Amino acid sequence: MMQVLPTQSSANTKECPSPGRLIVLTGPSGVGKGTLMQALLKRHPELYYSVSVTTRSPRPGEIDGKNYYFISRSKFEQLVAQGEFLEWAEFAGNYYGTPREAVLNQVRSGKLVVLEIELKGARQIRSSFPSALSIFILPPSLDELEKRIRGRAQDPEEAIARRLRRAQEEIQAADEFDVQIVNDDLETALNAIEATLFG
Ligand code: ADP
Ligand code: 5GP
């Protein structure tokens, strides 16, 4: 239950990893974050992509340990209590969290570490790691976003409706981020992310 969990500010103490850097990639569900990430990792295998932990069920084709670590709610709550997450949040009825130790180790070893996470988690990271670079991916329009979510055809109708509602809230927070990139043409958006990271 949400009430019995510690607050979502487990990353409250200021931590200053160096010399690597945390990159936070956020944007509404269906905007193309996963697609952009895959392409980015192909071009830059030196990046470290943080595999999150979730209580959501795997979509067809998703692999445990690659896309996510899929675990039960009770196990997730246990990990929260043990302080194992750098940040965590509830999204559309499921929990999602970033494993603390793996990420901090990679940052300490000098890597650019990319977290692909939703808004509440991104806010936690930005307050704990002011040196993190935060990027918000915007859709060309809400209509196009809905098309993409439906086109993915992997979420139940009720989840699609929730994700669209949440998307509108998230998009309003885009200005909080260091950089905003519209994912209209994939290649153009990818180049813009590259220019932000390496330019
Ligand atoms: P997210 O990870 O943000 O939830 P996905 O990467 O799963 O989004 O993308 C959602 C859908 O949108 C997928 O079917 C993907 O192929 C499609 N998509 C991603 N980027 C673009 C783009 N630039 N133009 C058109 N379709 C896109
Ligand atoms: P999906 O269920 O579509 O894979 O992900 C739903 C949302 O959860 C996306 O916005 C995604 O970026 C976000 N998400 C994935 N992993 C994490 C995480 O570890 N922490 C947080 N806060 N959000 C996450």
Side-chain angles (χ1 to χ4, degrees):
M1 294 267 88
M2 292 297 290
Q3 299 91 306
V4 301
L5 293 173
T7 59
Q8 294 182 4
S9 54
S10 60
N12 255 349
T13 44
K14 299 259 188 260
E15 300 177 55
C16 298
S18 62
R21 195 171 190 196
L22 280 176
I23 313 293
V24 178
L25 191 73
T26 302
S29 176
V31 76
K33 301 181 300 295
T35 309
L36 286 164
M37 269 310 306
Q38 271 185 6
L40 193 65
L41 288 171
K42 230 178 191 170
R43 287 194 196 176
H44 300 279
E46 75 276 15
L47 293 173
Y48 178 84
Y49 172 71
S50 164
V51 178
S52 295
V53 179
T54 186
T55 61
R56 167 166 79 60
S57 306
R59 294 186 180 124
E62 283 188 328
I63 297 167
D64 189 38
K66 178 168 182 282
N67 303 93
Y68 283 106
Y69 297 103
F70 296 98
I71 66 170
S72 66
R73 289 180 80 88
S74 59
K75 179 70 186 166
F76 193 100
E77 288 167 4
Q78 190 189 328
L79 294 177
V80 169
Q82 291 170 352
E84 297 284 344
F85 293 122
L86 204 55
E87 63 70 37
W88 68 274
E90 182 273 339
F91 181 94
N94 291 296
Y95 292 142
Y96 296 81
T98 300
R100 175 185 292 276
E101 268 319 298
V103 165
L104 292 184
N105 283 340
Q106 293 296 326
V107 174
R108 282 188 204 111
S109 74
K111 294 255 183 175
L112 284 185
V113 176
V114 187
L115 312 181
E116 193 244 277
I117 60 180
E118 53 67 69
L119 180 62
K120 286 186 287 183
R123 284 177 170 154
Q124 292 174 55
I125 294 292
R126 285 202 325 255
S127 91
S128 310
F129 301 93
S131 63
L133 173 69
S134 62
I135 303 175
F136 196 93
I137 309 293
L138 286 159
S141 67
L142 278 177
D143 278 355
E144 173 63 19
L145 182 67
E146 180 164 359
K147 272 189 206 135
R148 288 186 193 172
I149 295 179
R150 291 189 185 283
R152 189 165 60 188
Q154 287 177 337
D155 295 315
E157 186 59 34
E158 137 63 19
I160 290 174
R162 277 182 178 193
R163 279 162 192 267
L164 279 169
R165 275 198 302 275
R166 179 75 170 247
Q168 302 193 23
E169 290 167 29
E170 293 207 341
I171 287 168
Q172 283 171 13
D175 286 351
E176 294 173 17
F177 287 68
D178 296 321
V179 181
Q180 296 82 28
I181 293 172
V182 178
N183 181 23
D184 189 352
D185 172 63
L186 191 75
E187 185 64 24
T188 308
L190 196 54
N191 291 341
I193 295 176
E194 278 187 307
T196 304
L197 297 188
F198 307 107

